Amino acid sequence: MRSLAIAVLSFSITSFAGAVLVQDGPACPEEHGVQAYAHPESCNLFFLCTNGTLTVETCENGLLFDGKGNVHHHCNYNWAVDCGHRKADLTPISTPGCEYQFGLYPDGQECSVHYIKCAYGEPIPHQCDPGLVYDERIHGCNWPDLLAEKCNPEAVVGFKCPTKVPSNSLAAKFWPYPRFPVPGDCHRLITCVNGYPRLITCGEGKVVDERSLSCEEPETVPRCANHVRK
Ligand SMILES: *[C@@H]1O[C@H](CO)[C@@H](O)[C@H](O)[C@H]1NC(C)=O
C-alpha cells in the first residue's frame, strides 16, 4: 500500500485559496473531523484531511509543521520544530517590525517586559506576566535574575533582597530562598534566589496566606477570601 504522502506527488491537483486539493488521490484514513499529517519531503507543507477531503497546505512564513505546536493553522514556530529529514525553506518575508510574517521578537530594549508577536507580518506588542521579562534565548518570558548581565531584577520586581534575615522570622523558614509578602497583594509573593527577587504568582484559585507565606485555598485566608482570580 502506498503511503498517503508518496502517492500524492502524481495526482492531479487543483489550487484554491492557498490550499491544494488532491483529486483521485489517496483516501484520508478518517472520514470525519480534521487531521493533519506531515509531508515526507517538505517541513513547510502538510496534508490536511477535512471530513475525508485531502488537501496539501503550506505553513505561513516563519512557521513549519511538526504536528504538535499549533501557533497558526496546524503550524508551529520554526525554532520549535524538529524537521528531521524534511527540508525547510526559511526565507524570510519581512515587514517593518517582523523578520518573518509569523514570529516572536524582542522589542529592542534590553530587559524588557514587552515583546513583539508577529502575525501576517503585523507586529503586535505583548506584555510578560508581572515580574517577568522577555528572554530571546527561550522565545518567552523569564525571571529577570536569569538575564543578570542585561537585567536589574530589583528594578523589575521592585524589591531588594536582604543579605540576611532574622533567624526567628518567617522569611528565614524558607532560607536559602527567603520569602516576603507583597503588601496588599493577595496573589503574589516575593522569593529571593541567589540574592535576587522573583515575583511568584499563586496558582489558579489560590491566595497568599501572609501567616505562612505560601499559597493556600482562599477559605483558609479570611483576608483574601474575596480575591479569587478566575
Ligand atoms: C464535518 O462534518 C460534520 C457533519 O456533517 C459537520 O458538522 C462539520 O462542520 C464538518 N467539519 C468541517 C471542518 O467541515
Side-chain angles (χ1 to χ4, degrees):
M1 202 177 101
R2 293 183 294 189
S3 79
L4 184 66
I6 291 159
V8 97
L9 300 169
S10 58
F11 292 107
S12 58
I13 52 181
T14 323
S15 222
F16 69 96
V20 175
L21 180 64
V22 182
Q23 293 169 334
D24 314 320
C28 281
E30 303 196 35
E31 259 177 76
H32 299 290
V34 177
Q35 301 88 28
Y37 303 95
H39 188 284
E41 273 143 44
S42 172
C43 206
N44 299 80
L45 304 177
F46 62 99
F47 297 116
L48 193 66
C49 288
T50 308
N51 276 351
T53 301
L54 181 66
T55 51
V56 183
E57 309 272 329
T58 306
C59 292
E60 297 281 346
N61 183 245
L63 306 178
L64 296 171
F65 182 83
D66 65 2
K68 296 180 215 152
N70 188 3
V71 169
H72 175 81
H73 193 49
H74 306 282
C75 296
N76 198 359
Y77 290 123
N78 66 73
W79 40 261
V81 173
D82 178 4
C83 288
H85 295 298
R86 295 174 298 147
K87 286 202 186 65
D89 178 1
L90 280 175
T91 310
I93 299 173
S94 304
T95 48
C98 296
E99 183 191 3
Y100 289 97
Q101 295 286 294
F102 282 76
L104 299 175
Y105 301 102
D107 75 347
Q109 319 275 329
E110 301 227 306
C111 193
S112 180
V113 300
H114 296 102
Y115 60 98
I116 307 293
K117 187 171 182 171
C118 290
Y120 294 109
E122 190 81 33
I124 314 282
H126 279 63
Q127 188 157 1
C128 293
D129 284 338
L132 302 182
V133 295
Y134 188 73
D135 184 346
E136 227 178 319
R137 300 167 303 180
I138 63 165
H139 306 275
C141 298
N142 212 348
W143 307 112
D145 62 283
L146 297 178
L147 288 91
E149 305 97 71
K150 295 180 173 176
C151 262
N152 177 353
E154 291 161 3
V156 174
V157 179
F159 186 84
K160 188 170 168 47
C161 291
T163 47
K164 51 184 166 185
V165 295
S167 58
N168 60 350
S169 67
L170 192 51
K173 250 183 64 179
F174 297 95
W175 196 265
Y177 308 113
R179 293 182 183 184
F180 303 91
V182 180
D185 194 323
C186 278
H187 300 292
R188 301 193 174 91
L189 52 84
I190 289 164
T191 184
C192 291
V193 178
N194 300 325
Y196 290 117
R198 290 183 179 182
L199 190 63
I200 304 287
T201 302
C202 289
E204 224 163 282
K206 299 270 179 89
V207 295
V208 174
D209 188 345
E210 282 190 359
R211 297 163 299 185
S212 62
L213 284 181
S214 45
C215 296
E216 307 284 357
E217 297 295 334
E219 300 84 72
T220 67
V221 188
R223 187 180 64 90
C224 291
N226 300 321
H227 284 73
V228 180
R229 259 180 326 139
K230 278 183 266 78

